[in-house]
Each structure stands twice: as structure tokens, then as C-alpha cells.
């Protein structure tokens, strides 16, 4: 029987054993003999990933260099002495040799070790070396949970400069040993080519790794795939992915800047944005460990249940929006939406069904920061996209849904906003927090303006100063992520905004409104 307590294993010991596992000649019950010439063997090209972890299941991802069968073994110890399960799935040219599989029947709350290798479909006796990863299945009891979030990777031309340490924020987040990571969008910048060199304000030269596919604006499926492959060249990201499950969502730069469905893109030779989005969506689904079904292939919004303390609602604020309008006298602006009717109804339904203490709403855009394609439409009564948010906030209040917290990235600075109906123009909602953090590895910008529709109050913000200008390179240290910890005993949530050097910039503790059992009936403690 598997013990209920977490496996005790130091990170150094795990990494050492993971490296040695890559050289073994057998892999349990599904092993095949290796051949002596390594160049003739399949190869895992871009590391391994896990994602969308629940109490009993998770996704695992990898990519091969040829038509191959991905073989995955799982165990609750790094020795793999007792194999829990074995799964196989093919990696074919149609998916650019990527493969991902759903692991099921996992023991809740346990550390899960998974071992991945590829078997050549043209010569099934020839196998790749193995790579080993780990994640923790979500608990089914009220134990403490922690996660990190951020967004915006390899933007504004700031790619991988290995002489400056590469994408260091991934290493910093990994050191926090979170249960999972929410990537809040702009996981690639398909519209931002990477040049070999960029000049820094201090006269130094930023030197990028460059690839052919990342040297141009993405228009084809191959181009979009190349953007993901570029990011996975970074050793920090690959190591992070092998140890921390990723919950992925998208924003605009997975396709094109500020796109909306049906938009004609003059900067893409009058290409319709929906065609670009189809290419970008395919690459996103191929290169991220997002959980999907045959009936919903390509749907990005979803709920991830992470035990009794936490449900995560991953939104898609890009695929169902209307055009970007900010003219208050424009009829189209008054009718514009951000989530769409089906996603709004899904979110309302799932929020009311949630029995988790906390409901994290992971949005790919903030609610009140004014920008060219924002939700915010300027001061005053809700307009356009704001009307959909107003309806949702009002529903949350009147349906008695408690403990909602919004997190996002997108703006390339970090901030904490407290939404107070007493400060708002629209007042039919309960107070709530929104936290903004990013970029992981991209240009940093200064804090933006907020509109007063929902009454946000800036409790903290940090970004570029006027003297520093905008699009500040990652080497200047203004790269941000957020860390959330939910205490298993008190169920209180602590949110800390951090930087690439792992400094705590600002923190707050939020007490939950709890449900308790009284004589067989549920009473609310407010």
C-alpha cells in the first residue's frame, strides 16, 4: 500500500537519480534493448512536461525527433521499483512529433515520478534514453497547497542570452518548490522575431540564441511551433517543466498582437486573424500539457480541481471577444464582449458547483488597467466588455459564491488591486482581490492607468520608472511572478509578489469565508 505521507526526497538526490535513470538499459515491464550507436536512436528533443494535475490524473508531454511511440511509466518513488502504471501514445509528423498522454488512477496527494522514453516506430527495438520528471497529485484532504503564476515569455525581442543566465525567473520559481505553475498567457511572442543582438541602454550588447523559425513573424503552423521550440531551448525552462506542472492559458501573442476573431490584419497581408488563430491554437495545444477531450479539442477555458482547498478556473479572453472598440458613442463598442455567452454560462455554473474553499479565476487580462485591447473602457458606467464582467461579478455576489481571487499577467509589471464597491461606479458586487504579475522573461513596462468602473485600489505596484523608460531588458531585474500559499489548517491564503532574485516585494494574507457543519446542516461563517 502507498503511504499517505509525501515521499521524503531531497531535490539534489532526485536530480541525481533522474540523470542516472537516463542511462539505464531497461525500463521496467515495457523496456526494450538499446542499440550501441546513440546517433541511430530516437531522441527527446525539448525536455518533458506535466500539467493540469488533479487528485487522480495528470497530463504528460514530450517531443521526439522522428515517428515514435512515447512510453511513460509512473511510480511513487524515484527508484521505480514498483511501477504504478504504463502508458503509450504515438508521436507522428502530423503533431510535429509531439505527444501527450493522460495518466489516470494516480494516488491523491502523492509525489509521482514519471519516466519517458521513445521507441522508434520504424524499428521498435530501438529506444531513446529516458528522462525522468516528477509532480505531486492534488490532495483529497485539507493539506497546504502552493503555486506560482506569471506570464510573458521571450517578448519584445529579449530571447535567450546564455551569457546572462538565460530565462532565470524559471529557476527562481522552481526554487519555491510550488505544487504547480499557472502560465497566464503570452507563453510565446509569435509576432516578435528574435535578432542576434540588441543594444542595451548602458551600451552593452544582449546576445540572443537565434533559430530560423524564430527569426520571422509567425504565419504558418510550423512558425508557431518554432516559437515554442525556441523557448524550450532554455535549460531553466526545461528543468522547471520536469519538476513543476504547468497550467497553460493563452492571450494574444500566441497568435498576433491584440487580435480578435474575424479581424483583417493589414500587417499580415490582409490575412484574417481567425486563420492565424487556427494555426496558433494548433501549436499551443501540441506544445503545452493542456487537458482536452476529442469533443472539445482546442478549447482552452477549463476548470482544474486541485483538492478541497482550491479550484482553478482557466479563462480564455481571446477566442470569443468582439473587436477592440473604445468609443463610448460607438454602438459596436456598447455590444462588445470579452468571454462570450457560452464561456460566461460555464463559469457561472462551475463557480456555483464548486465546493472548494478558494476559487482562483486565472484571467489572461486584468479587469481595470486601460490599454489598447483591454477590458477597461475608461471611467464611468460599464460599457462593452465591462458589462459582461459586471454581470459576472453581480452573479457571484447574489449566488453566494465566496472566496474568489483573480490573477493575471499581460501588463509587464506587478501589482495588487483591491476592488471595493464603495469606491466603484458599478457597485453590485462583493469586494475581491486581483493580482498582476509578469513578465517572466520579456520587456518590462511602467504601471498603467486604472479606470473607476469597478473601484480598484492600487495596494502595490512595481515596474519601470519614467527614467528607465519602457521595454526594459530582463537583465535589469524587473521580472516578476506571484506566489500563493493556502494553509491547510486555517485555510487562509497568503499572496506574495516576488522578483527574479526571489525577493518578497509585497505580501498579504486573506482570510476565507468558510462553510462549517452544524448539526447536519451547513451554516455560513461570514
Amino acid at each position: 500500500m502507498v503511504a499517505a505521507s509525501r515521499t521524503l526526497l531531497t531535490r539534489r538526490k532526485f536530480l541525481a537519480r533522474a540523470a542516472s535513470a537516463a542511462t539505464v538499459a531497461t525500463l521496467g515491464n515495457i523496456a526494450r534493448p538499446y542499440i550501441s550507436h546513440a546517433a541511430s536512436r530516437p531522441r527527446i528533443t525539448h525536455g518533458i512536461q506535466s500539467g493540469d494535475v488533479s487528485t487522480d490524473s495528470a497530463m504528460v508531454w514530450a517531443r521526439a525527433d522522428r515517428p515514435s511511440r512515447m512510453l511513460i511509466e509512473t511510480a511513487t518513488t524515484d527508484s521505480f521499483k514498483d511501477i504504478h502504471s504504463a502508458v503509450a501514445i504515438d508521436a507522428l509528423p502530423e503533431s510535429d512529433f509531439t505527444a501527450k498522454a493522460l495518466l489516470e488512477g494516480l494516488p491523491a496527494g502523492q509525489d509521482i515520478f514519471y519516466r519517458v522514453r521513445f521507441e522508434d516506430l520504424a524499428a521498435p527495438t530501438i529506444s531513446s534514453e529516458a528522462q525522468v520528471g516528477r509532480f505531486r497529485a492534488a490532495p483529497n484532504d485539507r493539506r497546504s497547497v502552493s503555486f506560482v503564476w506569471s506570464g510573458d515569455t521571450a517578448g519584445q525581442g529579449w530571447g535567450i542570452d546564455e551569457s546572462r543566465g538565460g530565462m532565470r525567473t524559471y529557476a527562481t520559481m522552481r526554487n519555491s518548490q510550488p505544487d504547480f505553475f499557472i502560465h497566464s498567457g503570452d507563453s510565446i511572442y509569435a509576432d516578435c522575431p528574435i535578432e542576434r543582438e540588441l543594444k542595451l541602454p548602458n551600451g552593452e550588447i544582449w546576445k540572443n540564441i537565434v533559430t530560423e523559425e524564430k527569426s520571422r513573424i509567425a504565419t504558418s503552423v510550423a512558425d508557431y511551433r518554432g516559437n515554442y521550440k525556441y523557448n524550450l531551448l532554455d535549460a531553466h525552462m526545461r528543468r522547471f517543466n520536469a519538476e513543476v506542472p504547468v497550467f497553460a492559458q493563452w492571450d494574444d501573442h500566441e497568435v498576433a498582437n491584440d487580435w480578435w476573431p474575424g479581424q483583417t490584419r493589414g500587417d499580415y497581408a490582409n490575412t484574417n486573424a481567425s486563420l492565424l488563430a487556427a494555426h496558433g491554437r494548433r501549436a499551443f495545444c501540441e506544445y503545452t500539457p493542456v487537458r482536452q477531450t476529442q469533443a472539445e479539442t482546442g478549447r482552452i477555458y477549463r476548470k482544474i480541481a486541485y483538492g478541497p482547498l482550491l479550484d482553478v478556473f482557466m479563462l480564455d479572453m481571446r477566442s470569443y471577444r468582439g473587436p477592440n472598440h473604445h468609443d463610448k458613442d460607438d454602438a459596436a463598442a456598447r455590444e462588445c464582449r470579452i468571454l462570450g455567452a457560452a464561456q460566461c454560462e460555464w463559469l457561472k455554473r462551475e463557480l456555483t458547483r464548486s465546493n472548494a474553499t478558494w476559487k482562483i479565476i486565472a484571467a489572461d487580462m486584468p479587469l481595470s488597467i486601460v490599454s489598447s485591447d483591454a477590458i477597461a473602457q475608461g471611467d464611468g458606467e460599464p460599457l462593452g466588455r465591462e458589462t459582461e464582467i459586471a454581470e459576472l461579478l453581480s452573479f457571484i455576489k447574489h449566488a453566494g459564491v465566496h472566496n474568489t481571487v483573480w490573477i493575471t499577467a499581460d501588463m509587464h509589471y506587478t501589482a495588487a488591486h483591491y476592488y471595493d464597491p464603495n469606491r466603484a461606479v458599478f457597485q453590485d458586487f462583493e469586494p475581491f482581490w486581483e493580482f498582476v504579475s509578469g513578465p517572466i522573461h520579456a520587456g518590462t513596462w511602467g504601471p498603467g492607468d486604472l479606470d473607476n468602473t469597478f473601484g480598484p485600489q492600487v495596494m502595490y505596484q512595481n515596474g519601470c520608472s519614467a527614467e528607465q523608460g519602457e521595454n526594459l531588458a530582463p537583465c535589469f531585474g524587473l521580472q516578476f511572478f506571484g506566489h500563493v500559499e493556502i494553509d491547510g489548517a486555517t485555510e487562509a491564503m497568503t499572496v506574495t509578489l516576488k522578483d527574479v532574485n526571489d525577493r518578497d516585494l509585497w505580501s498579504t494574507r486573506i482570510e476565507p469565508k468558510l462553510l462549517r457543519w452544524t448539526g447536519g446542516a451547513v451554516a455560513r461563517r461570514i
Side-chain angles (χ1 to χ4, degrees):
M1 178 178 295
V2 176
S5 62
R6 179 183 173 187
T7 303
L8 295 177
L9 181 67
T10 66
R11 185 171 298 279
R12 181 175 296 177
K13 180 181 177 184
F14 164 68
L15 292 173
R17 292 190 179 181
S20 65
T23 63
V24 297
T26 60
L27 287 176
N29 295 329
I30 59 172
R32 295 289 187 273
Y34 293 154
I35 66 170
S36 59
H37 301 292
S40 300
R41 292 160 55 180
R43 184 169 59 89
I44 298 175
T45 61
H46 293 83
I48 57 178
Q49 301 182 58
S50 65
D52 285 13
V53 174
S54 71
T55 55
D56 63 355
S57 63
M59 298 296 297
V60 165
W61 175 98
R63 181 181 182 274
D65 65 346
R66 68 191 69 181
S68 307
R69 177 157 295 164
M70 182 169 73
L71 305 172
I72 309 168
E73 294 173 307
T74 65
T76 54
T77 63
D78 66 319
S79 68
F80 288 88
K81 182 178 179 181
D82 297 311
I83 303 298
H84 180 270
S85 64
V87 178
I89 190 167
D90 292 337
L92 300 172
E94 291 79 3
S95 63
D96 198 29
F97 306 122
T98 63
K100 57 184 180 180
L102 180 64
L103 309 181
E104 298 181 284
L106 302 176
Q110 286 286 300
D111 279 359
I112 305 297
F113 298 85
Y114 63 97
R115 189 161 55 187
V116 178
R117 69 181 179 85
F118 283 93
E119 184 181 81
D120 194 328
L121 285 174
T125 59
I126 303 175
S127 298
S128 70
E129 292 184 348
Q131 291 190 20
V132 176
R134 69 180 290 183
F135 60 85
R136 185 177 305 115
N140 57 11
D141 57 3
R142 295 183 182 275
R143 69 179 68 181
S144 297
V145 171
S146 72
F147 68 89
V148 292
W149 91 91
S150 188
D152 318 309
T153 303
Q156 293 71 54
W158 305 112
I160 303 167
D161 184 341
E162 292 185 322
S163 69
R164 299 178 185 274
M167 297 184 181
R168 295 193 300 117
T169 310
Y170 281 97
T172 307
M173 293 191 298
R174 180 181 57 81
N175 289 337
S176 299
Q177 296 186 291
D179 291 314
F180 59 88
F181 167 57
I182 297 175
H183 199 305
S184 299
D186 293 342
S187 54
I188 60 169
Y189 279 75
D191 54 340
C192 292
I194 295 294
E195 299 178 0
R196 189 170 299 278
E197 294 184 350
L198 295 173
K199 189 173 182 179
L200 297 169
N202 60 8
E204 295 179 1
I205 301 298
W206 178 284
K207 298 181 179 180
N208 285 313
I209 293 175
V210 295
T211 66
E212 179 184 352
E213 292 165 317
K214 191 57 186 158
S215 299
R216 57 179 177 265
I217 292 174
T219 58
S220 67
V221 175
D223 291 341
Y224 287 105
R225 290 165 171 166
N227 276 257
Y228 292 97
K229 286 187 278 192
Y230 179 85
N231 290 355
L232 289 167
L233 294 176
D234 183 73
H236 295 309
M237 178 185 280
R238 294 197 308 274
R239 188 175 179 186
F240 180 89
N241 288 345
E243 297 184 44
V244 181
V246 177
F247 296 2
Q249 64 186 146
W250 76 351
D251 190 26
D252 56 337
H253 291 286
E254 285 84 357
V255 176
N257 185 48
D258 292 356
W259 74 276
W260 68 80
Q263 175 193 29
T264 298
R265 300 286 306 209
D267 52 345
Y268 287 77
N270 293 324
T271 301
N272 192 290
S274 294
L275 176 60
L276 297 172
H279 296 329
R281 185 186 303 269
R282 177 169 179 174
F284 174 85
C285 293
E286 288 173 343
Y287 274 85
T288 62
V290 59
R291 184 188 300 244
Q292 294 175 313
T293 66
Q294 282 189 326
E296 298 176 324
T297 298
R299 197 186 91 173
I300 293 168
Y301 70 85
R302 62 203 187 278
K303 169 188 168 183
I304 302 172
Y306 203 83
L309 293 182
L310 179 63
D311 280 343
V312 181
F313 300 86
M314 306 286 289
L315 301 187
D316 179 357
M317 291 179 160
R318 192 55 56 177
S319 301
Y320 313 101
R321 65 165 53 203
N324 295 333
H325 290 290
H326 293 274
D327 183 352
K328 290 181 179 288
D329 296 323
D330 189 327
R334 291 194 293 272
E335 298 300 321
C336 194
R337 295 294 181 261
I338 189 73
L339 296 174
Q343 186 175 188
C344 274
E345 290 306 310
W346 164 84
L347 181 57
K348 292 175 184 177
R349 181 175 65 251
E350 294 300 326
L351 283 170
T352 57
R353 290 176 178 175
S354 174
N355 293 318
T357 303
W358 292 98
K359 293 89 176 167
I360 289 289
I361 301 176
D364 39 295
M365 300 193 74
L367 298 180
S368 297
I369 300 177
V370 179
S371 67
S372 59
D373 69 337
I375 296 167
Q377 302 293 296
D379 290 344
E381 294 289 337
L383 173 71
R385 294 167 181 165
E386 293 173 325
T387 61
E388 205 172 49
I389 300 300
E391 179 188 354
L392 176 61
L393 295 178
S394 179
F395 173 86
I396 289 172
K397 172 184 175 180
H398 294 288
V401 176
H402 297 297
N403 307 324
T404 59
V405 172
W406 293 66
I407 63 171
T408 189
D410 183 63
M411 302 309 297
H412 295 239
Y413 71 92
T414 190
H417 302 147
Y418 185 70
Y419 286 80
D420 183 351
N422 295 317
R423 297 168 50 91
V425 176
F426 175 83
Q427 297 184 320
D428 189 22
F429 66 92
E430 295 288 344
F432 66 95
W433 284 93
E434 174 189 62
F435 300 101
V436 184
S437 210
I440 301 174
H441 187 84
T444 308
W445 306 85
D449 296 326
L450 277 68
D451 75 8
N452 66 2
T453 304
F454 302 118
Q457 181 179 359
V458 177
M459 308 304 289
Y460 177 82
Q461 60 185 15
N462 192 344
C464 290
S465 65
E467 293 74 21
Q468 291 170 316
E470 295 183 328
N471 191 21
L472 193 67
C475 57
F476 292 101
L478 294 181
Q479 305 288 290
F480 306 109
F481 68 98
H483 181 273
V484 175
E485 186 168 9
I486 304 173
D487 184 82
T490 66
E491 302 183 43
M493 174 184 289
T494 300
V495 181
T496 305
L497 303 179
K498 301 169 75 72
D499 69 9
V500 62
N501 295 314
D502 208 24
R503 294 185 301 172
D504 293 352
L505 305 175
W506 182 89
S507 186
T508 189
R509 177 184 168 100
I510 312 172
E511 298 292 337
K513 295 180 179 180
L514 296 176
L515 295 174
R516 64 181 180 184
W517 291 92
T518 306
V522 177
R524 295 191 182 275
R525 187 173 75 212
I526 305 300

